[in-house]
């Protein structure tokens, strides 16, 4: 596995592979790999000839009060894990390699980048869309792989790919969960033992809603959101940021659950740790 830090080195290796007729998969990450990340890499290794993983804690997607400085990092461990699953190249640039001094261009979306996570993280999706568009331009992959855990992000990336005419297949990879249901996240690392068991309330609320829709044919979104919110509010350390049932494509809240709908939620634990999760409300 090759590890490079500059755009020029990444492009040189990738264009050699492309010259050999290889297809290229890109897995954009911010590092501190867990099995959710490795699942994205495995999907790319299965589907493409060469897999490129970018490892970049993107400063522009963090708000001033957020955890950029303390975001967990483990470069050596990450490279070992990526190599084990068959990644061909890790691109780990410094911020000035991605954002040249005086850069002025941003990618921002209108509708999809408002509401849900954007309410609590203003500017976050502009940071994500900008860095993803840059990575797409650097790597020019045939396919790019993103987790469904960040469902709003995935939807935004599909839209920007279409809007900016990138010829890249966007592959959404299902959420990888711990044995008890907790969605894997680098931010789980911040949880104390007691918080770790309390935050399961989000998974349970989503699971309750999915069960009601699929097994009991309840279709009224408000009724189910109220039930889920009551469950989450019983957790004293958790603050509910949002719980919403949306149409998967528009991400607009629905009142009657029909077709491809999804329940999305975010909680904050002891004001410090923000966790998100979601579930499809169809089979
Ligand atoms: O999902 C993430 O880890 C990040 O938002 C991404 C897509 C790598 C962009 O920095």
């Amino acid at each position: 596995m090759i590890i490079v830090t500059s755009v020029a080195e990444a492009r040189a290796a990738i264009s050699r592979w492309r010259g050999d007729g290889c297809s290229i998969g890109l897995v954009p990450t911010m590092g501190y790999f867990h099995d959710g990340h490795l699942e994205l890499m495995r999907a790319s290794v299965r589907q493409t000839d060469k897999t490129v993983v970018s490892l970049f804690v993107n400063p522009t997607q963090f708000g001033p009060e957020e955890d950029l400085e303390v975001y967990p990092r483990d470069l050596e461990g990450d490279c070992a894990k990526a190599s084990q699953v068959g990644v061909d190249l890790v691109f780990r640039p410094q911020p000035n390699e991605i954002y040249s001094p005086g850069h002025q261009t941003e990618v921002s979306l209108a509708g999809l980048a408002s509401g849900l996570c954007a309410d609590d993280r203003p500017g976050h999706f502009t940071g994500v869309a900008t860095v993803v568009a840059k990575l797409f331009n650097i790597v020019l992959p045939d396919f790019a792989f993103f987790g469904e855990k960040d469902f709003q992000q995935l939807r935004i990336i599909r839209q920007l790919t279409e809007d900016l005419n990138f010829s890249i297949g966007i592959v959404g990879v299902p959420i990888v969960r711990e044995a008890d249901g907790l969605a894997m996240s680098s931010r789980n690392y911040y949880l104390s033992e007691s918080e770790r068991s309390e935050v399961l309330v989000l998974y349970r609320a989503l699971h309750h809603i999915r069960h009601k829709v699929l097994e009991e044919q309840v279709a009224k979104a408000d009724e189910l959101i109220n039930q889920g919110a009551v469950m989450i509010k019983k957790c004293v350390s958790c603050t509910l940021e949002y719980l919403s049932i949306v149409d998967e494509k528009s991400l607009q809240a629905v009142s009657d659950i029909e077709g491809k709908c999804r329940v999305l939620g975010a909680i904050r634990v002891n004001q410090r740790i923000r966790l998100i999760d979601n579930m499809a409300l169809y089979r």
Side-chain angles (χ1 to χ4, degrees), residues 14 34 129 133 173 176 191 278:
I14 293 163
H34 49 68
V173 176
V176 179
L191 297 166
N278 68 82

Side-chain angles (χ1 to χ4, degrees), residues 24-254:
I24 310 291
L26 171 66
V27 181
T29 79
M30 298 206 300
Y32 211 69
F33 297 154
H34 49 68
D35 213 40
H37 295 109
L38 301 182
E39 226 11 65
L40 302 179
M41 297 175 207
R42 289 186 196 107
S44 175
V45 168
R46 277 195 302 272
Q47 196 170 327
T48 66
D49 299 319
K50 296 287 180 188
T51 292
V52 175
V53 169
S54 62
L55 201 167
F56 179 59
V57 182
N58 172 35
T60 64
Q61 69 188 76
F62 288 79
E65 306 295 315
E66 292 187 348
D67 54 349
L68 172 62
E69 296 309 325
V70 295
Y71 195 82
R73 289 162 170 91
D74 175 15
L75 185 57
E76 241 176 76
D78 283 350
C79 288
K81 288 177 187 162
S83 165
Q84 269 161 23
V85 296
V87 168
D88 298 282
L89 185 146
V90 170
F91 173 47
R92 50 168 207 92
Q94 292 299 314
N96 58 4
E97 186 70 13
I98 297 293
Y99 297 105
S100 53
H103 70 97
Q104 299 191 13
T105 306
E106 285 181 339
V107 177
S108 62
L109 287 87
L112 290 170
S114 54
L116 304 169
C117 285
D119 285 344
D120 192 56
R121 307 190 73 189
H124 168 69
F125 288 118
T126 298
V128 170
T130 302
V131 80
V132 167
K134 282 170 164 285
L135 292 167
F136 282 1
N137 274 322
I138 293 165
V139 176
L140 297 174
D142 299 283
F143 294 95
F145 298 79
F146 295 88
E148 285 185 350
K149 184 172 75 69
D150 297 282
F151 197 81
Q152 188 175 13
Q153 167 175 286
L154 174 60
R155 183 64 196 88
I156 283 171
I157 289 164
R158 286 191 196 285
Q159 189 69 42
L160 85 83
T161 303
E162 193 179 321
D163 292 351
L164 299 181
N165 303 94
F166 284 112
S167 179
I168 299 171
I170 303 300
V171 183
V173 176
I175 297 175
V176 179
R177 298 183 180 279
E178 304 283 358
D180 59 6
L182 181 66
M184 289 196 186
S185 163
S186 301
R187 289 191 169 98
N188 292 349
Y189 158 83
Y190 299 138
L191 297 166
S192 68
E193 211 174 303
S194 62
E195 289 168 339
R196 167 69 184 74
S197 58
E198 287 176 276
V199 297
L200 266 183
V201 73
L202 176 58
Y203 166 75
R204 291 197 182 118
L206 300 182
H207 193 267
H208 168 82
I209 292 173
R210 178 173 156 88
H211 178 87
K212 288 277 174 189
V213 173
L214 296 186
E215 308 302 332
E216 296 179 24
Q217 286 72 49
V218 179
K220 290 282 167 225
D222 282 356
E223 184 185 326
L224 294 176
I225 287 168
N226 286 339
Q227 290 174 15
V230 167
M231 288 172 75
I232 292 170
K233 284 175 186 161
K234 282 192 185 140
C235 166
V236 280
S237 352
C238 304
T239 315
L240 177 60
E241 275 190 2
Y242 69 81
L243 185 63
S244 190
I245 297 180
V246 301
D247 171 84
E248 268 198 3
K249 187 136 198 274
S250 67
L251 298 186
Q252 292 300 306
V254 298

